[in-house]
Amino acid sequence: MGVVAAAFVVFAQPLAAAGRQVTFRALDGRTLTGLLMDAHDRPAPAVILVPMLGRPKDDWQAVAQRFADANINALAIDLPGTTLPSDSAELAHWHENILAAVAYLTTRPSDVRPGAIGVAGASLGASLAVLAAAQDSAIRSIALVSPSLDYRGLRIEGPLHAYGARPALLMASTHDPYAARSVRALAQDAPGPRDLRWSDTTAHGTLLLARDPDLVRALVEWFQQTLG
C-alpha cells in the first residue's frame, strides 16, 4: 500500500461501554487519539470517520455506534487543528492523520479484515478523505458528506480522479448550494462508481447526519456493500 505515515498503538483504554480510546503516532511523532467502536464479530471491515472543521471526533459517536451494530469497526479521529492553519501548505498535510489511522488499523489483522478499510469525511474532512484515498490504495471506498470542490484552496477534483475506479458515495443537502454543486461536479466523468444521496434537511456535514437518520442508514448500508 502507499502509506507514508508510520503508525502504531501506544495504549488503549476503555472509554465507554460501546467504545474505547486508542492512541497511535503519525509520521512526525505526534500522538493521535481516536474513538474506536469494535464490530461484534471480528475480523471485520473498518471505517475511519473524519469530522468537519471546528468539530470534534465525538460528532461521529452515534454514527460509529451504528457501524459497530452493523458489524463494521469504526474509528473516529480529530483533525490536526480546530481552525485553519495560516499556511495553506500545512493544510495540504492534514490528511496524514487519516493515513496514520489506516496504518494503525492494518496492524490489527485479528480485528480488521485486510483489504476492507473505508473512510467517511464531512466538509473539510471529506476533502482530506479524498487526499488520503488518492495516496493510499489500502482505502477501498470513501464517503463524502457535504464535500467542497475547493476548500480554502484545497481542491479535490484531481485527487478524486487519481482515486480511480474505487467507489465513492457523495452526500449533500439540497439546501446546501455549494455542497450540492460540488457533488454534481465530482460525479461527472468519474473513472469509477459515484453514488449520490440527497437530503431535504437543511444542514451541513456531521450536523446533516445528526438530523437525517435516513442518510445515516444509507451511509452504513453503502459501506456494508463496498467493504463486503
Side-chain angles (χ1 to χ4, degrees):
M1 70 182 186
V3 174
V4 297
F8 57 89
V9 137
V10 178
F11 66 83
Q13 63 185 29
L15 181 67
R20 56 200 173 98
Q21 181 173 289
V22 296
T23 66
F24 48 98
R25 293 197 188 281
L27 183 63
D28 63 6
R30 288 176 299 113
T31 298
L32 307 178
T33 303
L35 170 65
L36 179 65
M37 294 200 179
D38 294 299
H40 51 80
D41 185 14
R42 303 187 298 274
V47 175
I48 298 163
L49 306 171
V50 191
M52 55 186 183
L53 184 68
R55 301 294 304 179
K57 61 181 175 294
D58 305 278
D59 271 9
W60 285 105
Q61 189 160 11
V63 177
Q65 183 63 64
R66 291 286 296 275
F67 276 113
D69 292 342
N71 203 50
I72 297 176
N73 298 293
L75 175 61
I77 64 173
D78 286 316
L79 298 181
T82 57
T83 60
L84 289 174
S86 56
D87 184 356
S88 60
E90 182 181 341
L91 180 61
H93 289 281
W94 275 21
H95 70 286
E96 291 174 2
N97 274 19
I98 301 173
L99 297 178
V102 172
Y104 161 60
L105 291 174
T106 61
T107 67
R108 304 179 47 144
S110 61
D111 295 318
V112 178
R113 198 170 71 231
I117 295 175
V119 181
S123 193
L124 175 56
S127 298
L128 301 177
V130 175
L131 294 181
Q135 187 171 336
D136 192 344
S137 60
I139 298 173
R140 183 171 171 182
S141 59
I142 58 175
L144 313 179
V145 184
S146 306
S148 299
L149 284 170
D150 184 335
Y151 196 108
R152 305 293 179 90
L154 197 65
R155 302 192 64 90
I156 61 173
E157 305 103 311
L160 188 59
H161 194 271
Y163 172 72
R166 287 171 286 170
L169 174 63
L170 311 174
M171 303 178 128
S173 166
T174 55
H175 302 289
D176 188 350
Y178 187 58
R181 289 198 303 272
S182 296
V183 163
R184 294 186 182 97
L186 293 170
Q188 290 180 354
D189 302 319
R194 304 292 183 258
D195 295 328
L196 277 58
R197 295 289 188 277
W198 300 102
S199 173
D200 290 328
T201 300
T202 303
H204 181 84
T206 46
L207 298 178
L208 177 61
L209 295 175
R211 297 173 186 175
D212 190 339
D214 289 339
L215 218 56
V216 175
R217 181 170 57 252
L219 179 68
V220 173
E221 290 176 351
W222 187 83
F223 274 113
Q224 286 179 307
Q225 294 168 6
T226 58
L227 296 179

